[in-house]
Amino acid sequence: MTDRKSLYLMTPALAWLTGLMVIPCLLILVLAFFRRGIYGGIEYTFTLENIWLVFDPLYAGIFVKSATIAGTSALIAVIVGYAAAYAIAAAPSRRQPMLLFFAVLPFWSNYLVRTYAWIVLLNREGLIASVVHSLGYDGELPRLLYTESAVVVGLVYNYLPFVILACYAPLSRLNPEVIEASRDLGGSGWTTFRRVTLPMTAPGIATGFVFVFVLSIGNFVTPALLGGGQFQMIGNLVYAQFLTANDWPFGAALSMFLIAIMMGLLTLQTFATERASGARKEES
Amino acid sequence: MRSQANPRLMLMILSAVFAFLYIPISVLFALSFNEGGLPTAWTGFSVKWYGELFRNKEIIGAALNTLIVAVVSTLLATMLGTLLAIGVEIRRRKGRFLETIIFAPMIIPDIVLAIALLSFFSMLNVTMGLHTVIVSHVVFNLAFVCSVVRARLKTFDWSIVEASADLGASTPITLWRVVIPVMLPAVIAGALLAFTLSVDEFIIAFFTAGAGRDSITLPMQIFAMIRFGVTPEINALATIVMTLSVIALALSQRLNRGGLPGQ
């Protein structure tokens, strides 16, 4: 009875999600196996060409480059974010909620604005350049904006708050007695961190890493704004197929791979988290 | 945990991270009040760039569009998302499939949902405009409303629902007079979050708004302006947009003591 009532309540939302998320996403899957029409439309004959085209060195290269940039950003974000979360968890407990709130606050402001802030800092007449020149340096500065590093900085900046949040959760739950036990047994500060704290907070690190990686690899705003016009990541490639090159089937095939990478990583992360929590249960 | 941390090192880490997070935003904020408008020199405090902004018809039009999209999609998403949350929580059997479909809109990459919706609309020959942006925004907004409301429902005392039924109230009456009033702070918090997300959302709007100039939203306008470079007007616009979303978020946080989603 309750289940029938619950179904009535859920139906409008589930219908909405089916009609405007599930079906459109399935459509993308189907679209990937059709041929591109001569005038940019879609020809409804089955083909695997789009799938093979993804493995073409040109496009596979863009995949690899996107993965490298996403991986670098995720790594930096995890290191910085973990350190920040550790410092917040080590602060007096009444200050922790406020510190956490201010660490996450930028995450909820507009993404474009946050990215634009870096253009203001990095461009040729930007703040960093003026500060350096006002310090007396007259030579030519290396280009800061429209580089791969600018893209990485932008991605780290945008997603860092999430990593702090993800790492803070397990760090704040850490039982201080376990740490003391390790110290009592003769573990140095570093050994205790490496052998006790780090493994016990690994799920937070995994969540943070996967999140930044997944959001970075499909990103097209940050590369478009901080990487400059010629800079391409998968997101930009997909964008181009749909809005300029008009090759929707190939764009669909690219997105399919993007979803596959994302789902694979998320499954891996769920698996790792479950194993970690299972191991912890066995210990206690 | 506290016993082993070196306080000086912790303070250094926190200062560095907060500087990294807040300097770029603060620079933007300060520059929007710089009379000369350039980062190279401070020529005096002025609000003239804000004035320029309000005289720019394109920006005002885009802001109005964003307001329409955000209000309508928030209303729809709040209704659908709240009902969904209650439905899921009173359900005894919870399949993994159900959880996945509710969770998916929050994790699916924007670009994928954006092109999926674009293909879907154009295949059905739907003329795109603000209405397609609205129905698309409802997809992720309802998921966020649902997650905020569900978090509150976890601590909900269901015995008051039984009491209401025992006293002869029908299910809709119980929902309207008992469940909803208790849930109201969480519902409003969810709605504020949805509103903020919708105001800020760029990618999905960009793909589903169609080609017309009259369906441009504020983030689309900002994106177009940024591509042409740094101007003092963007600094002012960015400051306004950022301040508004922070206010909405702080309100949402206050109403929903449980914290931000994900916390």
Side-chain angles (χ1 to χ4, degrees), chain A residues 9-24:
Chain A
L9 294 173
M10 295 191 303
T11 303
L14 290 182
W16 199 286
L17 290 180
T18 310
L20 288 154
M21 181 186 70
V22 180
I23 293 175

Side-chain angles (χ1 to χ4, degrees), chain B residues 13 32 35 49 62 76 89 139 147 172 221 224 232-233:
Chain B
I13 292 175
S32 74
E35 223 225 310
W49 301 114
L76 281 168
E89 286 303 313
V139 172
S147 92
Q221 177 74 28
E233 281 106 331

Side-chain angles (χ1 to χ4, degrees), chain A residues 32-271:
Chain A
F33 295 98
F34 284 133
R35 211 177 284 277
R36 177 196 180 186
I38 308 162
Y39 301 109
I42 298 146
E43 207 177 285
Y44 294 95
T45 42
F46 178 83
T47 175
L48 285 173
E49 265 171 34
N50 304 305
I51 310 292
W52 297 133
L53 194 57
V54 176
F55 292 100
D56 181 280
L58 175 65
Y59 300 118
I62 293 180
F63 257 91
V64 171
K65 190 164 129 205
S66 307
T68 315
I69 287 178
T72 314
S73 309
L75 192 68
I76 297 173
V78 160
I79 294 171
V80 178
Y82 190 87
Y86 192 96
I88 292 176
S93 33
R94 72 196 150 77
R95 282 213 202 117
Q96 289 183 18
M98 193 197 65
L99 286 173
L100 204 60
F101 177 75
F102 281 105
V104 179
L105 195 61
F107 192 59
W108 294 99
S109 69
N110 190 297
Y111 186 93
L112 289 169
V113 168
R114 277 180 287 153
T115 308
Y116 168 70
W118 282 96
I119 302 184
V120 173
L121 289 182
L122 298 179
N123 78 67
R124 208 168 276 283
E125 288 95 38
L127 192 79
I128 292 181
S130 12
V131 168
V132 171
H133 287 309
S134 70
L135 290 175
Y137 180 78
D138 280 334
E140 188 73 1
L141 278 176
R143 194 164 68 166
L144 301 170
L145 191 61
Y146 306 133
T147 59
E148 239 175 77
S149 318
V151 176
V152 171
V153 170
L155 292 170
V156 170
Y157 181 72
N158 278 311
Y159 300 131
L160 185 65
F162 182 85
V163 180
I164 298 179
L165 210 55
C167 293
Y168 174 78
L171 276 168
S172 66
R173 277 199 302 268
L174 208 60
N175 186 351
E177 284 168 24
V178 181
I179 310 288
E180 273 162 39
S182 161
R183 303 298 294 263
D184 290 347
L185 291 168
S188 69
W190 172 243
T191 312
T192 303
F193 176 74
R194 196 167 50 86
R195 308 270 308 258
V196 181
T197 312
L198 206 54
M200 288 186 82
T201 51
I205 299 176
T207 306
F209 186 91
V210 168
F211 182 88
V212 180
F213 188 89
V214 164
L215 284 176
S216 301
I217 196 168
N219 202 303
F220 95 91
V221 173
T222 306
L225 293 180
L226 300 181
Q230 273 76 53
F231 193 83
Q232 283 226 317
M233 279 173 65
I234 310 172
N236 311 78
L237 201 57
V238 172
Y239 165 90
Q241 301 315 313
F242 276 87
L243 294 186
T244 52
N246 238 338
D247 189 348
W248 290 23
F250 181 51
L254 287 168
S255 335
M256 218 171 73
F257 277 87
L258 207 55
I259 298 178
I261 293 174
M262 185 194 83
M263 294 220 302
L265 278 170
L266 287 174
T267 315
L268 214 66
Q269 180 233 336
T270 317
F271 180 71

Side-chain angles (χ1 to χ4, degrees), chain B residues 205-256:
Chain B
F206 188 63
F207 278 85
T208 56
R213 260 232 54 106
D214 20 315
S215 53
I216 280 183
T217 66
L218 201 52
M220 290 162 75
Q221 177 74 28
I222 295 176
F223 184 74
M225 286 166 76
I226 292 175
R227 287 198 125 180
F228 283 108
V230 177
T231 71
E233 281 106 331
I234 313 179
N235 298 342
L237 184 56
T239 303
I240 294 178
V241 169
M242 200 154 51
T243 313
L244 286 182
S245 37
V246 165
I247 291 173
L249 178 78
L251 263 173
S252 163
Q253 167 97 342
R254 215 185 158 74
L255 284 164
N256 190 32

Side-chain angles (χ1 to χ4, degrees), chain B residues 71-119:
Chain B
V71 169
V72 180
S73 77
T74 300
L75 286 176
L76 281 168
T78 306
M79 277 192 297
L80 295 174
T82 305
L83 291 181
L84 178 65
I86 298 172
V88 175
E89 286 303 313
I90 63 172
R91 197 174 174 79
R92 268 164 305 184
R93 281 181 296 119
K94 279 178 214 161
R96 191 159 238 197
F97 178 71
L98 185 64
E99 296 289 345
T100 311
I101 202 175
I102 298 174
F103 194 54
M106 297 197 275
I107 53 160
I108 206 165
D110 300 347
I111 180 107
V112 172
L113 190 58
I115 57 155
L117 285 162
L118 169 66
S119 319

